[in-house]
Amino acid sequence: MRVLKTFMLGGLVAALTACTTGTKNEPVAAADLNNEDLYEVHHDGRIHVFDDQATYQQFLEVGETSFRQTFIGAGPKGETLVFGVTGADKKKKVDQVAGYNLYHGTLPAAGTFYGEMRMEGRIYVFDRIEDMEAVRTTGEAPLRYTEIGAGPKGETLVFVLRSDNKKQKPVELMAAFKQHNS
């Protein structure tokens, strides 16, 4: 019996050692973060959030996504939050999905961030997630460059600016919008 206990204890130690020497502490590669872009559609008391452009485009075409995580009343003004996820993300816990973490501020945005928010017949375009969070909360962008009727379906385009770039036409942000919507 003593030999069996010793054998089992040795096996347990070996198993625990194997579990703790894996690669879980390695930093996530930058390509794996998926923090370069975020898309939102505010409609009928829901905020649809996407971290994948293809899933976002599918939603714009058909009004639904194949896979989603829904949180009733979790938006800033009590809206339902709907996170559209990819097939690869559908089996992940929601807190492992980049869009969820970007939306909630637990994942920093990439330096070359692009954000798009469709709300009340307007398409807001961002190059900083902090500006996107502010517009989501307040519903308005105090500094902006607006093109009325210039969106893909005649929407007003609102390029969100800041105090450091408010006197310049947002040429790079306009080009990024065209790239993401062509």
Side-chain angles (χ1 to χ4, degrees):
M1 186 69 159
R2 184 177 183 136
V3 174
L4 181 61
K5 284 182 182 179
T6 304
F7 178 73
M8 289 179 65
L9 183 60
L12 181 61
V13 169
L16 289 174
T17 303
C19 290
T20 61
T21 59
T23 59
K24 70 177 183 177
N25 292 330
E26 290 181 13
V28 177
D32 295 341
L33 289 178
N34 192 15
N35 62 346
E36 305 85 25
D37 53 357
L38 189 66
Y39 307 92
E40 294 182 18
V41 178
H42 296 237
H43 182 67
D44 285 342
R46 292 179 175 210
I47 301 175
H48 300 269
V49 182
F50 309 91
D51 63 21
D52 177 69
Q53 186 179 11
T55 305
Y56 169 62
Q57 290 298 329
Q58 174 194 9
F59 175 82
L60 293 178
E61 290 174 19
V62 297
E64 290 292 330
T65 58
S66 299
F67 308 107
R68 62 186 146 289
Q69 293 279 350
T70 304
F71 299 89
I72 298 171
K77 298 174 186 161
E79 306 94 338
T80 296
L81 291 179
V82 182
F83 293 91
V85 296
T86 64
D89 286 346
K90 72 180 179 181
K91 294 193 179 199
K92 291 181 180 178
K93 292 180 182 178
V94 72
D95 63 350
Q96 296 174 327
V97 175
Y100 178 87
N101 289 308
L102 280 168
Y103 181 90
H104 287 96
T106 56
L107 176 66
T112 57
F113 176 78
Y114 174 84
E116 200 171 291
M117 179 186 298
R118 293 175 185 247
M119 181 170 57
E120 299 176 0
R122 296 178 179 177
I123 302 174
Y124 294 84
V125 185
F126 308 88
D127 61 1
R128 287 184 355 147
I129 197 160
E130 296 83 4
D131 298 331
M132 193 172 194
E133 292 165 351
V135 170
R136 181 187 311 130
T137 303
T138 65
E140 231 9 91
L143 300 173
R144 61 185 171 240
Y145 181 88
T146 305
E147 291 187 331
I148 297 171
K153 295 182 180 175
E155 305 95 337
T156 296
L157 297 179
V158 180
F159 299 93
V160 179
L161 305 175
R162 299 173 300 284
S163 59
D164 65 335
N165 68 354
K166 68 182 179 183
K167 295 186 179 190
Q168 303 152 358
K169 186 174 182 178
V171 177
E172 290 179 15
L173 197 51
M174 295 167 84
F177 175 79
K178 286 185 181 182
Q179 177 188 355
H180 283 85
N181 288 278
S182 55

